[in-house]
Amino acid sequence: MESIVSILITSCIPALISGIVTYVITCKKAKDEIMKLQESNKHEIEKLMKQHEIDIESLKEKHNFEIEKSNQDHKHKLELLEIEHKNALESKEKEQSNAAMFGVIADLLTDPKKLSGIMTLADDPRFKK
């Protein structure tokens, strides 16, 4: 029995040493591969972050351009509304002026006494040249 145990021990010890050495080497290689992948991913992440920053800047410029365009459109609309309002006021003033003139003329034409008063003014030497 001792010989079987000694044979097992002599055969197991080299296998155990070989297994441990293989385990250590495999762990070291795995750590190296992990480091390589992390480094590779680190470069990819940096590249993506730089591209992301460029995209953000591009979007900011686009947004600023759209804001500027919107402000200019708003300014032009305000100017158009101002011009339309000014024209509407002038139109109303003309209508009121015409209504007042026609009202006075209609009043003069309907009342003969006022018309004769105006005719005497026409004969006044102060208005003649």
Side-chain angles (χ1 to χ4, degrees):
M1 185 104 159
E2 276 186 32
S3 67
I4 294 177
V5 172
S6 67
I7 292 173
L8 283 174
I9 290 177
T10 55
S11 64
C12 286
I13 290 179
L16 239 137
I17 292 172
S18 173
I20 291 172
V21 169
T22 304
Y23 175 76
V24 170
I25 291 172
T26 305
C27 285
K28 185 177 179 184
K29 284 184 180 179
K31 285 180 183 178
D32 288 343
E33 284 294 319
I34 290 172
M35 293 296 284
K36 286 179 186 177
L37 286 174
Q38 284 178 343
E39 191 68 29
S40 173
N41 288 340
K42 182 179 176 183
H43 292 301
E44 287 294 319
I45 289 172
E46 288 175 0
K47 182 179 173 183
L48 289 173
M49 290 301 289
K50 286 179 183 178
Q51 184 63 40
H52 182 68
E53 289 174 6
I54 291 170
D55 291 344
I56 288 174
E57 287 298 319
S58 173
L59 288 173
K60 282 181 182 179
E61 288 177 13
K62 184 178 178 182
H63 180 69
N64 287 338
F65 177 73
E66 288 176 0
I67 287 175
E68 185 177 321
K69 183 179 177 185
S70 176
N71 285 341
Q72 286 178 352
D73 288 345
H74 182 68
K75 183 179 176 182
H76 289 299
K77 285 180 184 179
L78 285 176
E79 289 173 356
L80 287 175
L81 286 174
E82 186 178 318
I83 290 170
E84 287 175 1
H85 180 68
K86 183 179 175 183
N87 289 340
L89 284 176
E90 288 176 358
S91 175
K92 288 285 184 185
E93 287 176 0
K94 273 187 176 180
E95 287 178 15
Q96 290 175 352
S97 171
N98 288 342
M101 279 182 160
F102 291 129
V104 169
I105 291 174
D107 190 36
L108 288 175
L109 293 175
T110 56
D111 190 5
K113 291 179 185 175
K114 290 181 182 177
L115 187 57
S116 63
I118 290 179
M119 295 306 258
T120 57
L121 282 176
D123 291 335
D124 193 348
R126 289 180 287 175
F127 291 113
K128 290 184 179 181
K129 285 188 178 182

